[in-house]
Amino acid sequence: MLGVIVAHADWGIDPRKRWVAAAKGNVRDGWLASPASPMPDGSDLRSRIQACSDDEQLLVGFDFPIGLPRAYADRAGVRSFLDLLPRLGQEEWAEFFSVADLADEIAVNRPFYPRTAQRKGAKRQVHLTTALGMSMSDLRRRCEHRQPDRSAACSLFWTVGGNQVGKGALAGWQMLQAHPSNTIAYWPFEGPLDELIKSNQTVVAETYPAEFYGHLGLPRVIGKRRQASRAALAPRLCEVAGDLGIQLMPKSRAQIDDGFGATSHGEDAFDAFVGLVGMINVLSGRRMSGEPPDDQYVTSVEGWILGQHAVTHTVVGPMAMPLVVRPQSRD
């Protein structure tokens, strides 16, 4: 069988905070995982995933939002996120990537705020909701609303604070913009995950490492900034990797046992690896991809977080069928 590369990128505003973990293989024969490493600069996604060659299928997960809230999309007249993506930064969307610094700079075509925090209380979420004419709840996607085991996520458009994701999304979208639309397939916008992997050479999905923690039997609160806390989870990480048929290279095992090192990038390497295992857990059928089957907004403008249930309560049911990836003819 042709190789399949599954890669997970822990993404950050600072390029030094971008780490990637990758594994090659398939559901039937198992996987060989490489150590997490800094994500290099490259002209395209495949060059950034060092283990990926031109004749291999690639599924890559990014932990930044890929999509827009439905209420905002309706207000902006957006019917398709993928149609909008290449237009961002141009013409009527020329200021989209410029984060507003003043409340009166916020507009539907410039919705990210604020550029800097300045003194406490100077920048307030009410500035954003007033300017856009929507509540903070309206400025969250369906997958970002409160869950039984998780608080609501920060709105994509609010760009200060420890849990903000907006600036990372802007950097990520600009990176994705550099790729012609016919070179990448986006889940779930363009179809179910198994179909996309079978029919496309490069597939991109949105991930959230903290979502995967629960899937893999890790505690929801990890203290991942501490090396000792990460190292304490090594037995569980190795156990679940083994259950999924993931063989660890010696350097990979050493990295896990060491808690991904003592530097400030250890948490990034940790989440890169957890994301990789979480993605393979979905491919194995132990977790469904999770996108709602009957919500047109999810597949047109909002997107979804890989593996997150589409309901707000726990569903106990049969195991999903594994996503069996087979090589495509190159004729």
Side-chain angles (χ1 to χ4, degrees), residues 19 36 46 63 82 101 111 120 125 156 162 164 168 188 216 229 240 243 267 279 286 288-289 314 320-321:
W19 281 64
R46 302 184 76 84
D63 70 336
L82 295 188
D101 196 42
K120 185 176 181 180
Q125 292 185 352
L156 168 68
Q164 72 87 20
L216 304 178
S229 298
V240 71
D243 288 345
E267 62 175 313
M279 292 174 69
R286 297 192 181 195
M288 299 185 72
S289 54
T314 301
M321 292 297 293

Side-chain angles (χ1 to χ4, degrees), residues 28-40:
R28 186 190 68 190
D29 302 320
W31 309 85
L32 180 61
S34 304
S37 60
M39 191 172 187

